[in-house]
């Protein structure tokens, strides 16, 4: 249940109650006001009766021309005693409704409070924390505050080994512990995935040590009924400067420190300091420059050929992006792709890559070269774009490209996560005539059973599966089994990261079909790639 939905119901219930108040009061008014003594008089007596009403102390007389029937006018009047009764009844009704509203409000707030913390694993409170955090910073601008950002180490393994139910119970247990030890001490919540944030007051540096000890010994001490799971965490801390009111900046700084703690062995926490501040500044500058990289013509596509292991013919190529920064030189995609995904600029980059690939294919066709399919990597972020399939189809039509000459690659982790949605999107892409490849197989869960559920045409074995293939017979048996299984599933296989001829010979003997790696060619610029296709002797003799 999401807290946002609870608040909507909370607001709606109040609106309904206030409408009920208005209706009951209005009804009581109509009910009692109209129960006067009705009568009718002749027109000639109307003035006389009005004169009597003025002198009558026992009644309130009101002349209402409800109907005119010949010479008669209908009228009504009330006893003064009735007015007092009506007033008392209205006051009682009003007090009862106010009492009901107070009781219901208390119950709803109690219910929301329990849902907010005892069921924290069911929703992400990031937006609520931003609102609460801004107010907390404003109310404590003269206090010493610290932000603690932590996540569960290898949480994915907990889900994979014990199941998602156990993972949810771990999150729930941690949430309850946070509520137990930090209630009324600050703001806290789960901001995404298995990441939690706490912002609280401190009086000295010793308090930081106490908080860290509390997290490590109490907060992550989970007690599950059906599982015995030991939890470790990576912690990032950010001391809040007095007067700082940018809650997002504070959370971001603590988050960066948390990520940094994962990079350092045997270190469970990192405090955001001047060094990290400078690193963050560089990342912000890099992010700013990345947004201008396409307009400034700084992105480059390189093409790494794929070879038939038996004939050495080029059977395809993978488009690999590089960023040629004007001052920092060539920047690895390992650096800027995660940044692009985080900012969703990857959507623009991905579309630029697709169009550039279509351009080179059309150019090769015009030059009479033997065109081979070009594989393009799609990130998980891109797959969630509603118009992705329409854009791919638009590019195929714009450059008049045969769909067989474009191949879409998705990683194993992407393909097998959110399987139903991803499979539907890949099926839509396949309907255009484009082949789908699962990239980096062997780096994720290597779930062989998942191969039958995902609509792919090509399976790419990751380099990590081949690292010791020359020394370990078990590795050869394992790779051979995957190759045979893929063949039975009518999947083409590609072995990535093949670096020497020894590996090539072993792969030949275990029925590999296609290889990609430095043993034949590194990623090439467009000009060199075209020259390689044109002059086949450059690689046939290798």
């Amino acid at each position: 249940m999401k807290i946002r939905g609870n608040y909507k119901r909370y607001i709606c219930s109040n609106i309904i109650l206030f409408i009920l108040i208005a209706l009951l009061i209005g009804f009581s008014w109509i009910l009692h006001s109209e129960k006067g003594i009705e009568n009718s008089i002749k027109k000639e007596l109307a003035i006389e009766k009005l004169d009597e009403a003025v002198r009558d102390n026992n009644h309130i007389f009101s002349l209402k021309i409800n109907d005119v029937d010949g010479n008669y006018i209908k009228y009504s009047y009330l006893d003064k005693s009735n007015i007092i009764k009506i007033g008392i009844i209205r006051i009682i009704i009003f007090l009862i409704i106010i009492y009901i509203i107070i009781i219901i409000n208390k119950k709803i707030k109690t219910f929301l409070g329990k849902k907010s913390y005892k069921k924290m694993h069911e929703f992400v409170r990031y937006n609520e924390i931003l609102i609460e955090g801004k107010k907390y910073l404003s109310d404590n601008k003269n206090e010493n505050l610290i932000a603690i950002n932590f996540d569960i180490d290898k949480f994915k393994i907990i889900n994979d080994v014990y199941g998602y139910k156990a993972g949810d119970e771990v999150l729930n247990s941690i949430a309850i512990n946070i509520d137990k030890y930090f209630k009324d001490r600050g703001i806290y919540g789960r901001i995404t995935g298995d990441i939690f944030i706490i912002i609280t007051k401190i009086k000295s540096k010793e308090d930081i040590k106490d908080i860290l000890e509390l997290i490590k010994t109490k907060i992550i001490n989970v007690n599950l009924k059906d599982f015995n799971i030991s939890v470790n965490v990576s912690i990032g801390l950010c001391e809040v400067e007095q007067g700082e009111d940018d809650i997002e900046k504070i959370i971001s700084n603590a988050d960066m420190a948390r990520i940094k703690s994962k990079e350092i062995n045997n270190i469970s926490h990192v405090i955001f300091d001047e060094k990290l501040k400078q690193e963050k500044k560089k990342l912000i500058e890099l992010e700013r420059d990345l947004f201008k990289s396409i307009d400034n013509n700084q992105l480059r596509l390189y093409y790494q050929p794929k070879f038939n292991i038996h004939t050495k013919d080029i059977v395809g190529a993978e488009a690999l992006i590089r960023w040629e920064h004007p001052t920092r030189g060539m920047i690895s995609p390992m650096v800027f792709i995660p940044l692009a995904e985080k900012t969703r600029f990857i959507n623009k980059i991905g579309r630029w890559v697709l169009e550039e690939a279509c351009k080179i294919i059309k150019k090769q066709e015009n030059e009479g070269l033997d065109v081979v399919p070009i594989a393009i990597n799609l990130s998980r972020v891109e797959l969630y774009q509603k118009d992705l399939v329409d854009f791919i189809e638009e590019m195929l039509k714009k450059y008049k490209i045969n769909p067989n000459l474009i191949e879409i690659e998705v990683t194993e982790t992407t393909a097998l996560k959110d399987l139903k949605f991803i499979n539907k999107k890949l099926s839509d892409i396949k309907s255009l005539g484009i082949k789908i490849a699962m990239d980096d197989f062997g780096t994720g869960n290597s779930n062989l059973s998942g191969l039958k559920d995902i609509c792919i045409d090509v399976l790419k074995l990751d380099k990590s599966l081949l690292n010791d293939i020359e020394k370990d017979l078990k590795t050869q048996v394992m790779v051979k089994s995957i190759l045979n299984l893929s063949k039975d599933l009518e999947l083409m296989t590609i072995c990535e990261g093949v670096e020497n001829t020894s590996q090539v010979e072993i792969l030949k003997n275990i029925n590999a079909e296609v290889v990609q790696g430095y043993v034949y060619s590194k990623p090439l610029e467009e000009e060199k790639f075209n020259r390689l296709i044109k002059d086949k002797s450059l690689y046939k003799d290798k």
Side-chain angles (χ1 to χ4, degrees):
M1 180 182 294
K2 292 186 180 296
I3 195 167
R4 194 171 295 171
N6 290 332
Y7 276 122
K8 284 182 180 177
R9 284 191 286 276
Y10 169 69
I11 291 168
C12 288
S13 65
N14 276 311
I15 291 173
I16 291 170
L17 285 171
F18 281 115
I19 291 173
L20 183 62
I21 291 173
L23 288 174
L24 286 174
I25 292 175
F27 179 71
S28 68
W29 180 277
I30 293 170
L31 184 66
H32 296 285
S33 294
E34 295 302 322
K35 282 192 175 180
I37 300 172
E38 293 188 359
N39 211 332
S40 62
I41 59 174
K42 289 184 178 181
K43 295 176 182 177
E44 292 82 0
L45 296 176
I47 296 175
E48 183 181 338
K49 283 288 182 182
L50 285 171
D51 183 59
E52 289 178 9
V54 171
R55 290 181 281 105
D56 190 347
N57 292 323
N58 296 318
H59 301 89
I60 289 181
F61 187 95
S62 69
L63 182 64
K64 292 184 179 181
I65 304 176
N66 297 323
D67 190 21
V68 178
D69 181 16
N71 293 323
Y72 290 87
I73 299 174
K74 290 184 178 181
Y75 71 95
S76 64
Y77 63 89
L78 290 171
D79 287 340
K80 282 186 178 180
S81 59
N82 281 352
I83 295 173
I84 295 172
K85 291 177 183 178
I86 292 168
I88 292 171
I89 290 171
R90 287 174 180 165
I91 290 170
I92 291 172
I93 291 172
F94 183 77
L95 290 175
I96 289 172
I97 293 174
I98 291 298
Y99 176 76
I100 291 171
I101 290 175
I102 292 171
I103 295 299
I104 290 177
N105 275 346
K106 283 184 177 180
K107 288 185 176 181
I108 290 175
K109 286 178 180 178
T110 301
F111 171 76
L112 292 179
K114 290 179 180 179
K115 284 292 179 183
S116 295
Y117 303 112
K118 293 189 178 181
K119 292 294 182 183
M120 196 180 296
H121 70 272
E122 294 182 357
F123 59 88
V124 174
R125 298 190 64 242
Y126 184 72
N127 291 330
E128 286 82 1
I129 288 169
L130 292 182
I131 296 170
E132 295 169 11
K134 195 167 185 64
K135 184 178 185 304
Y136 187 75
L137 292 176
S138 175
D139 293 344
N140 297 278
K141 58 186 177 183
N142 296 322
E143 301 284 350
N144 295 320
L145 305 176
I146 190 160
I148 307 103
N149 184 305
F150 70 88
D151 72 343
I152 302 168
D153 293 341
K154 300 178 181 178
F155 183 64
K156 186 178 183 299
I157 293 178
I158 294 176
N159 281 330
D160 291 342
V161 174
Y162 298 99
Y164 288 108
K165 181 182 177 182
D168 284 350
E169 288 184 18
V170 168
L171 294 176
N172 187 38
S173 183
I174 290 175
I176 292 172
N177 289 339
I178 294 174
D179 187 41
K180 178 180 178 181
Y181 291 102
F182 283 93
K183 193 169 186 177
D184 301 324
R185 287 180 60 184
I187 63 163
Y188 46 89
R190 176 172 162 241
I191 55 177
T192 184
D194 60 314
I195 302 174
F196 294 84
I197 187 76
I198 301 169
I199 301 179
T200 188
K201 299 177 187 177
I202 57 171
K203 293 181 180 179
S204 66
K205 299 289 185 182
E206 289 299 316
D207 287 348
I208 297 177
K209 294 180 181 179
D210 293 340
I211 290 171
L212 288 171
E213 186 65 20
L214 181 63
I215 291 173
K216 294 172 184 177
T217 59
K218 302 293 184 181
I219 301 297
I220 64 172
N221 182 21
V222 297
N223 295 310
L224 308 184
K225 184 171 65 175
D226 300 322
F227 308 98
N228 183 18
I229 299 176
S230 178
V231 174
N232 293 310
V233 291
S234 297
I235 307 171
L237 302 101
C238 174
E239 295 182 67
V240 182
E241 295 180 9
Q242 288 190 354
E244 176 63 71
D245 62 356
D246 190 340
I247 182 67
E248 290 185 87
K249 176 183 174 182
I250 292 167
I251 293 175
S252 175
N253 289 348
D255 189 58
M256 185 174 184
R258 174 187 62 83
I259 294 170
K260 196 69 178 177
S261 72
K262 292 179 174 295
E263 300 174 3
I264 307 172
N265 293 331
N266 303 318
I267 295 292
S268 63
H269 73 274
V270 167
I271 298 177
F272 187 83
D273 55 13
E274 187 60 34
K275 184 178 179 182
L276 277 179
K277 187 175 181 180
Q278 291 304 315
E279 281 188 32
K280 185 176 181 182
K281 183 180 177 182
K282 288 180 180 178
L283 277 176
I284 292 172
E285 291 173 354
L286 197 66
E287 179 182 303
R288 180 198 62 204
D289 292 345
L290 182 61
F291 291 156
K292 299 183 289 185
S293 61
I294 293 177
D295 293 337
N296 292 341
N297 195 30
Q298 295 170 359
L299 298 184
R300 304 282 182 267
L301 272 191
Y302 283 67
Y303 303 89
Q304 186 168 35
K306 304 170 188 177
F307 295 86
N308 182 300
I309 197 169
H310 303 290
T311 66
K312 296 186 180 179
D313 288 330
I314 296 181
V315 294
E318 180 180 1
L320 301 168
I321 192 168
R322 301 290 184 265
W323 179 15
E324 191 175 343
H325 193 278
T327 58
R328 301 186 186 188
M330 202 65 76
I331 298 177
S332 167
M334 299 294 288
V335 174
F336 72 85
I337 290 298
L339 189 60
E341 289 181 331
K342 181 181 178 182
T343 60
R344 298 196 176 272
F345 189 66
I346 191 67
N347 293 315
K348 285 190 175 182
I349 291 177
R351 298 190 178 201
W352 177 86
V353 170
L354 177 61
E355 185 159 13
E356 288 299 307
C358 288
K359 285 179 181 179
I360 188 175
I361 289 172
K362 177 52 63 178
K363 187 176 179 181
Q364 288 173 343
E365 287 180 339
N366 292 338
E367 293 177 0
L369 297 178
D370 293 331
V371 182
V372 295
I374 292 180
I376 297 163
N377 292 279
L378 283 186
S379 74
R380 181 177 174 80
V381 176
E382 292 174 87
L383 286 169
Y384 280 91
Q385 296 301 298
K386 291 181 180 180
D387 63 340
L388 173 65
V389 179
D390 292 336
F391 179 78
I392 294 173
E393 186 176 19
E394 180 188 338
M395 289 297 103
L396 294 176
K397 290 178 178 178
K398 180 178 178 179
Y399 293 97
K400 298 178 181 178
I401 302 298
N402 186 329
N404 288 327
L405 295 175
I406 294 291
E407 190 176 285
I408 295 297
E409 292 187 4
V410 293
T411 64
E412 176 194 358
T413 304
T414 297
L416 297 178
K417 193 172 183 180
D418 197 1
L419 184 60
K420 186 176 179 181
F421 175 85
I422 298 298
N423 213 19
K424 174 64 170 64
K425 186 59 68 79
L426 296 180
S427 294
D428 292 342
I429 295 174
K430 273 176 68 73
S431 69
L432 301 176
I434 292 174
K435 289 184 178 180
I436 305 295
M438 182 188 287
D439 194 15
D440 298 340
F441 185 79
T443 57
N445 295 328
S446 299
N447 189 345
L448 292 172
S449 64
L451 296 179
K452 65 181 176 59
D453 299 321
I454 194 79
C455 56
I456 59 172
D457 306 286
V458 180
L459 185 68
K460 297 187 71 176
L461 275 59
D462 188 73
K463 178 181 182 293
S464 60
L465 288 177
L466 309 177
N467 282 340
D468 61 349
I469 198 168
E470 300 161 84
K471 303 174 183 177
D472 194 334
L473 184 59
K474 290 181 180 179
T475 300
Q476 294 181 28
V477 172
M478 179 181 66
V479 174
K480 183 178 180 179
S481 298
I482 296 172
L483 292 172
N484 290 336
L485 176 62
S486 298
K487 188 174 182 179
D488 291 340
L489 293 172
E490 299 182 340
L491 300 176
M492 186 176 89
T493 54
I494 299 173
C495 296
E496 295 184 283
V498 182
E499 297 182 345
N500 58 62
T501 54
S502 296
Q503 290 178 335
V504 170
E505 291 305 315
I506 292 171
L507 290 171
K508 277 183 182 180
N509 293 331
I510 58 176
N511 301 320
E513 302 174 38
V514 179
V515 295
Q516 176 184 346
Y518 277 65
V519 65
Y520 286 123
S521 176
K522 65 179 182 180
L524 304 170
E525 295 174 340
E526 180 183 335
E527 183 180 346
K528 291 182 179 179
F529 176 56
N530 288 340
R531 193 187 311 156
L532 187 65
I533 292 177
K534 188 180 296 184
D535 190 353
K536 297 180 180 179
S537 63
L538 290 175
Y539 60 87
K540 283 282 188 179
D541 295 335
K542 286 190 177 184

